[in-house]
Amino acid sequence: MALVAALSHSAAAARKVIFDTDPGSDDAMALMLALNSPELDVRAITVVPGNVTAQQGLENALRMASLANRCDIPVAAGAQHPLFQKLITAEFWHGKNGLANVELPPSKCKVDGRYGPDLIIQMVHAAPHEFTLVPVGPLTNIALAVLKDPSIVPLVKEVIIMGGSITGGNVNAAAEANIYNDPEAAQIVFQAGWPLTMVGLDVGDKTLLSRKHLAQLGQTHGPMNDFMVQVATYLVDLSEKFGSAGTPMYDPLAVGVAIDATLVKAPAMHVDVETRGEFTRGETVANRHGYDERNVLHGDRYVIEGADKVEPNAKVCTDVEAERFLQLFISRIRGK
Ligand code: RIB
Ligand code: CA
């Protein structure tokens, strides 16, 4: 009876997840982690253009669902481009096909005919207060869902994004790639009013999968295990070319936070997304001290006459137990 109780408890407690992705090599590692973690119940995969085009991303997502024998999970296409700017694809970092040039077998899964944002809306209404959205690409699909049906905002349990940074960018001095690829969408998502956790470069850059971890992963085999070794080898090789000791586990760490929020420290802050700065478009601008000075005009100058509280709208990850996460990742992938 104890085993039945344990199994029923774990199944009942599993967090329902909609995974929105621009797959993407680290997206692939994030998805494999999510699909091999009993704490999570991935109910849909929606695809957004970013690292690769929408079409390539859909093909990659279908092939990965098939590799994991999860054709039961709906895989749906979403936006075909950012809201207001041209798409910027990142084959430079992710390989020509977006999956570290690894050629997975053709998918056994069929694409779901629903539009990604509509699928998100439908699933959230069908299970109010139960879904966690885990977007690990540009936030175009999430923004489109909110724009079409703002009533989903109070019905979503949590949004855990990979994106942003409060310590400088990775595409330039100021912006992180997912935000940079659709700043207007990101501002909509940050201001929507739902519980949002930002898993940004601040912690991703501290969570480096190295050759040591690669060796651990390589000690076991299985279709997903072997795929992860191929992808991680490509990424570690590339990171070493740019002088880094390992590859930052950006997207997998967002899934890690959905599995176990104690992996990170995440103080509440108000975050805005810059959409007009000449040097800062796409920057996530966080108010760490929680107030804005109030300037009052007196003649030819302003005088500071107070400080007004700024309500936080996000939990911003500022520190991480990196090695504990990396060992969690390895333990979930080994032998699968
Ligand atoms: O800045 C890192 C993010 O951009 C990750 O999600 C990576 O997959 C790319 O989309
Ligand atoms: Ca991504």
Side-chain angles (χ1 to χ4, degrees), residues 22 24-27 50-51 94 136-138 162 170 176-178 201 250-251:
D22 61 332
S25 48
D26 62 323
D27 302 66
N51 288 323
H94 294 270
V136 294
M162 189 283 138
N170 60 351
E176 178 279 324
N178 287 335
L201 304 183
Y250 295 131
D251 293 348

Side-chain angles (χ1 to χ4, degrees), residues 28-90:
M29 296 199 283
L31 181 56
M32 293 300 126
L33 175 61
L35 296 179
N36 288 287
S37 294
E39 301 87 347
L40 304 182
D41 176 6
V42 179
R43 292 294 187 93
I45 299 168
T46 51
V47 178
V48 67
N51 288 323
V52 290
T53 63
Q55 186 183 1
Q56 182 68 56
L58 180 63
E59 179 60 26
N60 291 347
L62 286 166
R63 289 191 180 211
M64 289 193 284
S66 184
L67 180 77
N69 280 320
R70 294 303 308 273
C71 289
D72 59 299
I73 299 175
V75 177
Q80 298 299 298
H81 52 74
L83 295 184
F84 299 109
Q85 70 182 41
K86 286 193 186 319
L87 177 62
I88 305 165
T89 55

